[in-house]
Amino acid sequence: MTRRIVALVSVALLVVAIAPAAVSAQDDELNIAFLPGVEDPFYRVMEKGVQAAAEDFGIDVQVAQFPATWGTSAQDPILSALKGQGNLDYIITAPVSTEGMVAPLQEALDQGTKIITVDTFLGDGDYINGPVTFPISYIGSDNVEGGRISCNAIAEAIGGAGKVYIQNTNPDVSSVMGRSQGCREALAAYPDIEIVDEQFNLDVEATAVQQTEAVLQVHPDLAGIFGVNVFSAQGAGEAVKNAGLGGEVQIVAYDATQRAIELLKNGDVTMVLAQKPFDMGYLGVEFAMADWAGVSSLPKHVTTGFAIINADNVDDPEYARFIYQVE
Ligand code: T6T
């Protein structure tokens, strides 16, 4: 058994035990596709998890084109092309809008393709009692908790007082809005911390840089920034560095890209929260195989955990292995 498999949650181990016996490596009737949210290091690592599972189980998984930008107008046409193939049993995907991707994915299901959501969810994510219940499962981070962890770290770094800015991406995406909610919940416990603004860059790093520069102009005494994903955090880090405020404004970066880690090592970023996209991709494939094999007890909600990376542990292999490595 490989190290990767050992690291998986127990439910996954159960699936590992069941799936190979029931699905033969030669079973070419099982057709799975992976459709990511956007071209970025997070989803490239998720793709590695997908490919590792495919290799471990001796199957092929089709990796769809990576959407060039974030949004339904980029993801939906790729989904339409997948639906047009007419041969897919499962699509593992990160829907780019909680509402906007419901109908297109429901249509895929109506055509006989089951849906597994990774990283982001549809509706409110409660696939048992919520408004959307058709996906097999949501496999991803507990982003509300991730937001709490991030902003408690900011609160601690700024000594429990000062102005904080949330640099966000899109208001209709479950992952980043969960992070914002968790951040607000955490900071509510600090009467001397004020959230001065929250802005949405639509997943464009250059916009994140411009927005953060503008906020620094209006609030030169800004104490902390929560960058909710790759593009927000890298953009905020760049703006703070350009303003010569590295180390003075405390930035917490969600997503452990190489760039975020560089900023951490240079003292421009205080803490980096690494998600586990590899696990999301791997488990997505396992869940498809298990469902195909007839497993009917798959959990509707699986959380994949975090690694909290800071200047003290960044070189420790136990933490460094969660930095998003993309060749
Ligand atoms: O933060 C990840 C992902 O979790 C989020 O849903 C969208 O942005 C990223 O892909 C990072 O760019």
Side-chain angles (χ1 to χ4, degrees), residues 37-43 46 70 94-95 118-120 138 141 143 169-170 173-176 179 203 228-232 254-255 257 275 277 280 324:
V38 77
E39 177 62 69
D40 75 9
F42 171 86
Y43 290 113
M46 192 182 292
W70 189 276
V118 281
D119 174 49
T120 51
Y138 163 73
S141 300
N143 284 299
T169 62
N170 295 275
V173 180
S174 67
S175 54
V176 293
R179 294 165 203 174
D203 233 34
V228 307
N229 87 338
V230 167
F231 302 105
S232 299
Y254 217 94
D255 286 317
T257 58
Q275 302 189 76
M280 297 175 201
Y324 305 170

Side-chain angles (χ1 to χ4, degrees), residues 240-255:
V240 165
K241 205 177 74 154
N242 294 345
L245 293 170
E248 283 181 47
V249 180
Q250 304 296 323
I251 303 176
V252 165
Y254 217 94
D255 286 317

Side-chain angles (χ1 to χ4, degrees), residues 29-33 62 78-91 107-114:
E29 287 180 31
L30 170 60
N31 291 306
I32 305 174
Q62 177 184 351
I78 302 172
L79 175 62
S80 294
L82 292 176
K83 288 189 283 198
Q85 292 177 194
N87 67 337
L88 291 174
D89 301 298
Y90 297 91
I91 295 178
E107 191 182 71
L109 181 70
D110 295 345
Q111 290 174 1
T113 304
K114 293 189 181 178

Side-chain angles (χ1 to χ4, degrees), residues 3-319:
R3 268 189 82 198
R4 280 196 302 268
I5 295 173
V6 174
L8 293 177
V9 292
S10 58
V11 66
L13 287 171
L14 180 66
V15 175
V16 172
I18 295 166
V23 182
S24 101
Q26 280 74 43
D27 188 347
D28 57 9
E29 287 180 31
L30 170 60
N31 291 306
I32 305 174
F34 167 56
L35 170 57
V38 77
E39 177 62 69
D40 75 9
F42 171 86
Y43 290 113
R44 284 293 171 191
V45 174
M46 192 182 292
E47 179 191 13
K48 286 187 175 185
V50 165
Q51 299 290 22
E55 198 181 317
D56 286 348
F57 296 116
I59 60 166
D60 284 327
V61 174
Q62 177 184 351
V63 176
Q65 184 192 332
F66 277 53
T69 54
W70 189 276
T72 54
S73 59
Q75 191 180 47
D76 196 19
I78 302 172
L79 175 62
S80 294
L82 292 176
K83 288 189 283 198
Q85 292 177 194
N87 67 337
L88 291 174
D89 301 298
Y90 297 91
I91 295 178
I92 300 164
T93 190
V96 293
S97 165
T98 49
E99 305 307 326
M101 290 307 290
V102 173
L105 288 167
Q106 174 75 59
E107 191 182 71
L109 181 70
D110 295 345
Q111 290 174 1
T113 304
K114 293 189 181 178
I115 306 301
I116 295 169
T117 59
V118 281
D119 174 49
T120 51
F121 53 68
L122 295 172
D124 65 4
D126 178 352
Y127 293 161
I128 298 172
N129 298 310
V132 179
T133 55
F134 67 80
I136 291 176
S137 191
Y138 163 73
I139 304 168
S141 300
D142 178 344
N143 284 299
V144 177
E145 180 60 9
R148 285 191 205 110
I149 293 170
S150 301
C151 287
N152 275 320
I154 292 178
E156 195 181 319
I158 66 177
K163 295 179 175 177
V164 172
Y165 166 56
I166 303 177
Q167 171 51 229
N168 205 333
T169 62
N170 295 275
D172 62 340
V173 180
S174 67
S175 54
V176 293
M177 290 314 289
R179 294 165 203 174
S180 171
Q181 180 194 327
C183 174
R184 287 176 180 277
E185 284 175 14
L187 295 186
Y190 296 88
D192 296 330
I193 293 181
E194 180 196 0
I195 299 175
V196 291
D197 209 346
E198 173 166 10
Q199 290 177 319
F200 297 90
N201 62 49
L202 307 183
D203 233 34
V204 178
E205 188 169 325
T207 307
V209 175
Q210 284 163 11
Q211 289 175 333
T212 307
E213 281 173 352
V215 167
L216 286 168
Q217 295 279 330
V218 180
H219 301 285
D221 55 343
L222 194 72
I225 304 178
F226 177 32
V228 307
N229 87 338
V230 167
F231 302 105
S232 299
Q234 290 181 171
E238 207 53 42
V240 165
K241 205 177 74 154
N242 294 345
L245 293 170
E248 283 181 47
V249 180
Q250 304 296 323
I251 303 176
V252 165
Y254 217 94
D255 286 317
T257 58
Q258 303 284 352
R259 182 81 192 107
I261 295 298
E262 263 172 47
L263 289 163
L264 176 77
K265 287 187 170 172
N266 292 340
D268 295 318
V269 158
T270 314
M271 186 196 101
V272 174
L273 184 146
Q275 302 189 76
K276 299 191 174 172
F278 180 95
D279 294 11
M280 297 175 201
Y282 197 105
L283 289 171
V285 174
E286 282 196 314
F287 270 44
M289 293 184 66
D291 183 79
W292 180 254
V295 173
S296 60
S297 308
L298 289 171
K300 288 285 213 176
H301 194 107
V302 178
T303 49
T304 44
F306 308 115
I308 308 299
I309 304 179
N310 55 37
D312 295 334
N313 66 18
V314 65
D315 293 320
D316 177 344
E318 273 310 305
Y319 290 84

